[in-house]
Amino acid sequence: MAIDLTGRTAIVTGAASGIGRSVAVRLAAAGASVVIADRTPLPWHGGPSTEHLVTAAGGTAEFMACDLAVTSSVEAMFARAEARWGHVDIVVNNAAVSTGTSLTDTDDADWNHVLAVNVTGVFTLCRAAVRHMLDRPPRGEVRGRIVNITSQHGMVAAPEDIAYGVSKAAVAQLTRQIAVEYAAQGIVCNAVAPGKIETGPSARAEDPRWHEYWTSRTPWPRLGRPEDVAGAVLFLASDEASYITGVNLMVDGGWMAG
Ligand SMILES: NC(=O)c1ccc[n+]([C@@H]2O[C@H](COP(=O)([O-])OP(=O)(O)OC[C@H]3O[C@@H](n4cnc5c(N)ncnc54)[C@H](O)[C@@H]3O)[C@@H](O)[C@H]2O)c1
């Protein structure tokens, strides 16, 4: 399946690192001009910036600083992207944070920050994108496409991570709300729910207790890679995905089927 996104502009949040970085590389390789919307240009797990990766491979990408916890920062980033390319066709809401804490260990500041980034940030960018897309002529049946990254941990309890789990459930519902409310105007809104995806060394990744949990829950004989998620996002961001809206597509090695 050769997907061609030439002439399209895509914003990918959290694209400096991990899954978002892989999504940005994949969309750019398909011909899209990609905005790397992140707090920082450099990946936390090391390596060159995503902008460098994309441009070195002959693609088009530009880092635009953005803090999803701040509404004005999200709106300014969107306006910059619109001014730079004249239109925004694809938005991938990928960035998210977590505290790794249970209910009784989560203080107000942590709760509010997770909800601000993972839910309000997604809401703000979706609102800016849909307002913009509604003013655009349709390409075939579609005025614009949104792909939100959720998690299996928004469908079942996120162990020791209450704010994260609640935030991901909210994004799944946000996806359905937008899909249904704007289908008639040609806005497509879907989600991708990764299972456990290995992105780099972290406290949980190095803890045998968590590794055992992930592998025991994952039927496929390996954990996920960022490219696994990027392939699904590329599909949903493209015209190959027709008559599909409001879904929360699992890329989890079978976790939620078990
Ligand atoms: N890795 C997994 O196992 C997994 C599993 C299920 C779902 N997910 C979801 O996939 C997405 C990506 O996860 P990941 O593991 O690649 O994350 P990551 O932590 O590797 O990268 C997140 C990126 O978001 C950026 N970011 C954080 N806060 C921000 C803010 N306030 N404003 C702008 N950017 C900000 C970070 O700088 C970073 O580049 C997230 O939505 C996550 O919930 C991941």
Side-chain angles (χ1 to χ4, degrees):
M1 183 168 66
I3 287 175
D4 185 5
L5 298 180
T6 305
R8 314 214 181 167
T9 306
I11 294 173
V12 184
T13 68
S17 310
I19 293 170
R21 175 179 177 84
S22 190
V23 169
V25 166
R26 204 69 195 273
L27 296 181
S33 301
V34 179
V35 175
I36 297 147
D38 207 305
R39 275 182 316 190
T40 161
L42 292 173
W44 63 263
H45 40 70
S49 71
T50 306
E51 181 179 308
H52 178 81
L53 271 189
V54 169
T55 51
T60 304
E62 195 169 307
F63 171 75
M64 294 190 188
C66 168
D67 184 350
L68 287 160
V70 179
T71 297
S72 58
S73 173
V74 178
E75 289 176 339
M77 178 277 295
F78 191 91
R80 244 182 105 191
E82 191 185 344
R84 171 73 175 81
W85 282 291
H87 52 92
V88 175
D89 309 282
I90 298 160
V91 167
V92 182
N93 282 296
N94 164 81
V97 292
S98 65
T99 55
T101 52
S102 303
L103 174 69
T104 48
D105 293 327
T106 303
D107 65 24
D108 289 358
D110 284 346
W111 171 265
N112 288 333
H113 183 64
V114 172
L115 274 287
V117 175
N118 297 11
V119 182
T120 309
V122 177
F123 158 78
T124 306
L125 185 50
C126 285
R127 185 177 61 187
V130 172
R131 283 176 175 162
H132 166 79
M133 289 166 178
L134 289 174
D135 280 343
R136 299 270 308 148
R139 234 186 252 261
E141 296 180 320
V142 174
R143 282 200 159 78
R145 292 178 179 272
I146 296 171
V147 183
N148 296 325
I149 306 300
T150 56
S151 171
Q152 87 280 31
H153 286 141
M155 304 175 206
V156 295
E160 297 167 40
D161 218 355
I162 190 164
Y164 179 81
V166 169
S167 76
K168 291 298 179 178
V171 174
Q173 182 64 10
L174 188 75
T175 303
R176 290 186 284 267
Q177 291 281 148
I178 294 167
V180 170
E181 286 179 15
Y182 295 98
Q185 288 112 309
I187 307 293
V188 177
C189 185
N190 288 300
V192 171
K196 182 58 209 168
I197 309 296
E198 293 185 295
T199 54
S202 66
R204 277 202 181 185
E206 319 241 297
D207 182 341
R209 181 169 74 99
W210 288 109
H211 207 266
E212 161 59 19
Y213 167 66
W214 298 325
T215 51
S216 69
R217 294 296 293 258
T218 306
W220 202 257
R222 64 169 173 84
L223 297 178
R225 301 176 184 132
E227 302 79 50
D228 297 321
V229 182
V233 174
L234 176 66
F235 167 65
L236 290 173
S238 79
D239 295 339
E240 295 297 326
S242 55
Y243 206 56
I244 300 173
T245 199
V247 305
N248 193 1
L249 175 63
M250 284 169 286
V251 180
D252 66 353
W255 181 315
M256 288 298 293

